[in-house]
Amino acid sequence: MSPTSSTPTSPASPTYDDFTAGFRGAVLRAGDGGFDEARVVFNGRTADTPPALIARCADEDDVAAALRYASARDLPIAVRGGGHGADGYAMPGGALVLDLSGMREITVDPQTRTVRAQAGVVLGELDAAAQEHGLVVPSGTVTTTGIAGLTLGGGIGHLMRRFGATVDNLTGCEMITVDGRKVRADAKENPDLFWALRGGGGNFGVVTAFEYRAHLMGPGVVSGQIFYPGDQAAAVLSKLHAFMADAPRELGLGTTLTVALPLPGLPEETHGKPILILIPCYTGPVQNAEDIIGRLSTLGAPVVNTVGPTTWLKTNSMLDAIVPYGHRTAVRGGYLATLSEAVVGTLIERLADVPDTPGTMSTINVWSLGGAISEDVNEDDMAFSRTGASWLWECAPVWTERDQDARFDAWADATTSALRPYTLPNAYTNLTEDQGEAWRRGVFGSEAKYRRLAEVKAVWDPRNLLRHNKNIAPATGE
């Protein structure tokens, strides 16, 4: 499944030659200096079909001008924030792209512990700005991820068990409507829109700024990676559900199944063979860390254990190296109620079948939920669903050559099929490509929530101009 297959370039693609009035930022088309650099996003498959035009917004007035242009002509518009979306919807072939990546202002109020960030900000910048005041905003795990897509889809990461999802800490949004009006959405102003923006993605308007509730934490945390050889993977994974059920909220845990690259520090006998990596992040009292991490590591016999005292900024960038920006990928994922024997066996089987591509690191990742993200917010309080989920799985193949697409797509699809009997109908939409209309109707947890989203869509984007996304069709009133 190509993320750009629904919007191919053709001789009939529009050129938007009259896109100039009222726009102050750079406007880029094929052949212009900087165009090729501007269209690079996380999923490198978008390189196959360039957009027709990239409008790089200087400010929210540019966003409004671009949306008025599109609305007057009934044109669909794609939106690029950090460009990290799995589907590549930020840069579809032949599209008119609204690029917010230059809008990077961050304001931190340490007295009220609030953070305001514009839509072009990426996680590394958000973390750094908040940590200057000893604060954190719960977010994702890769510094190049944009806050806009992450937040609008829900937002999970190392801190979700302690502080909840990103949307659980979102207090307000500044948004430009499809007809170019500036509005605010929060608990009191446009509350239905605010409900929808917390998990419903970019379906309703273009959010230009986000306001978050921050938490005191850092700079010191305990984190790292614990490596087990593949023959221990099933035994260790089978013990994790019980372990995390009793673990404190201050312990976040990711796990990765992959084929070991010849990395410094990894024993040579593991190179090219399956391995399991536990990725704990403990943010509680440091005197408790040794016991908790010690009990976790002795679920097996590690070959390498790098866990120790470090900083939050180092912790939340340690996965950058295994999530390369601009490579080809085919991400799939979903929620799990438990890590049963059948689930663990399926994960091990799917890793054994991953296509072998030297120099790249395809992974199957499993994240522990629970704690704040599972217990502190009612399911119907916002669009983002997490009901029934204790774990989240994600298969993330990575490769570089277009002629390998079919192999890796087939592996990702087969992995999805193999895990389908255990995967819940609701989902975290950011860590998977779009799996079709029936899937989209289930990812928000109930038919009633989906209907409410469709009704909100009909109010704010009745012509579905914002359709380059995991799209929610406007309710028709029938």
Side-chain angles (χ1 to χ4, degrees), residues 50-66:
L53 180 146
I54 302 173
R56 310 198 82 175
C57 299
D59 52 29
E60 62 180 9
D61 289 336
D62 271 357
V63 177

Side-chain angles (χ1 to χ4, degrees), residues 108-131:
V108 181
D109 186 337
Q111 301 303 315
T112 61
R113 298 181 190 171
T114 59
V115 177
R116 178 186 181 275
Q118 288 186 307
V121 170
V122 297
L123 300 195
E125 297 167 339
L126 183 69
D127 279 337
Q131 279 288 274

